[in-house]
Amino acid sequence: MRPITVIGNWKMNGSKAACRQWIDTVCAEMEKGMPAGRRFALCPPYPYLSDCSQQISACSSASLALGAQDVSAEMGGAFTGEVSAAMLHEFDCKYVLVGHSERRDRFNESDRLIAEKALQALDQGLTPVICVGETADERNSGRAVEVVRAQVARQIAILQDRLVDSLLAYEPVWAIGTGKVASAQIAQDMHREIRLQLAEFNADVASHIGILYGGSVKFDNAVELFGMPDIDGGLIGGASLDPQEFLAICRA
């Protein structure tokens, strides 16, 4: 059985006070018990990683892990503004998002660059969460599967067997921050396409890798989404800012 993984992505939101309150609330509830076979993580903005790391490590519950929202494709050197995987490892990050649609769109990140970031994360013992997904125009023109398969194919070509130590996240761009959500069946259909594509490469990778869904996930739709056979959890955006909503999704 693949575990259900729920990751909160705060994007460029939050504050030191909000982080403290959020972690206090979430850890206190997780210490009371959470469903078995599940993993949970928070990806706050870079400036809050240190405080969040210390606070999470002080929790008696080991359920919540820390993640980052991006990582450099370089090991180190003259790359002003970049943050390396080794630096994230020092803050006890377990996960790192790579290739989020906002990074692809606004910062022109290519599939090759995303794979190189994933490799850096893997080299430091982090689990990269590799995001793929189509725009509204690509879906409306009937190219959704073609586009997502091309994105996954580049990850397979570069990461090869190391892909099994990653997570994939299918996030249709038209459902991110819009309030729109792919129906559970639409999401399942794409997750199934991804898993079948992975099976063409390596059946073991296909059966073991977790594929998360991201795109306006809330408690109201999480139950149905997580019940689908090829959906292994969620990458939660806006809803993760509310600790009670995040906890409800974690229990879904």
Side-chain angles (χ1 to χ4, degrees):
M1 285 288 293
R2 296 182 300 271
I4 291 289
T5 305
V6 181
I7 300 175
N9 173 23
W10 276 18
K11 306 187 180 183
M12 199 172 70
N13 294 295
S15 65
K16 291 183 71 172
C19 288
R20 286 194 297 271
Q21 182 181 18
W22 193 97
I23 293 172
D24 279 345
T25 301
V26 170
C27 283
E29 288 300 312
M30 286 187 170
E31 286 168 4
K32 297 175 184 177
M34 296 297 286
R38 300 198 172 195
R39 305 181 297 193
F40 315 104
L42 170 65
C43 295
Y46 281 141
Y48 306 133
L49 286 177
S50 179
D51 285 350
C52 288
S53 177
Q54 293 178 40
Q55 193 173 357
I56 288 173
S57 66
C59 294
S60 59
S61 168
S63 298
L64 185 65
L66 186 62
Q69 297 179 14
D70 191 26
V71 67
S72 176
E74 305 293 339
M75 293 179 63
F79 301 99
T80 300
E82 291 287 272
V83 175
S84 74
M87 293 171 183
L88 297 179
H89 179 76
E90 284 194 305
F91 286 102
D92 294 323
C93 286
K94 306 300 181 187
Y95 299 92
V96 61
L97 310 183
V98 295
H100 191 282
S101 64
E102 293 159 0
R103 302 289 312 178
R104 290 175 180 268
D105 178 47
R106 301 185 186 191
F107 299 94
N108 299 313
E109 293 194 354
S110 67
D111 290 316
R112 172 170 287 280
L113 177 66
I114 291 160
E116 290 171 352
K117 289 184 174 191
L119 284 173
Q120 286 294 325
L122 289 165
D123 285 347
Q124 292 297 326
L126 280 68
T127 299
V129 183
I130 304 167
C131 302
V132 299
E134 81 283 1
T135 65
D137 287 345
E138 289 164 343
R139 172 160 287 275
N140 293 336
S141 65
R143 298 176 53 236
V145 171
E146 173 191 343
V147 167
V148 172
R149 282 183 66 94
Q151 293 170 353
V152 173
R154 179 53 63 94
Q155 304 309 309
I156 293 172
I158 295 175
L159 299 182
Q160 293 289 303
D161 291 342
R162 302 191 72 184
L163 192 61
V164 76
D165 296 318
S166 309
L167 291 170
L168 292 176
Y170 168 58
E171 43 164 33
V173 180
W174 47 270
I176 297 172
T178 63
K180 299 177 182 179
V181 61
S183 70
Q185 191 58 57
I186 288 175
Q188 162 60 20
D189 289 347
M190 186 62 82
H191 280 238
R192 184 62 178 160
E193 287 285 348
I194 293 169
R195 205 172 297 281
L196 289 172
Q197 180 183 4
L198 293 169
E200 295 168 6
F201 161 67
N202 184 307
D204 188 57
V205 171
S207 64
H208 285 89
I209 192 169
I211 308 176
L212 314 184
Y213 172 76
S216 297
V217 178
K218 298 178 175 60
F219 171 71
D220 292 345
N221 54 41
V223 174
E224 188 177 9
L225 285 165
F226 295 176
M228 291 292 170
D230 290 297
I231 298 179
D232 304 313
L235 179 57
I236 319 300
S240 70
L241 293 167
D242 180 341
Q244 295 300 338
E245 180 75 8
F246 181 77
L247 285 163
I249 294 169
C250 290
R251 296 189 182 102

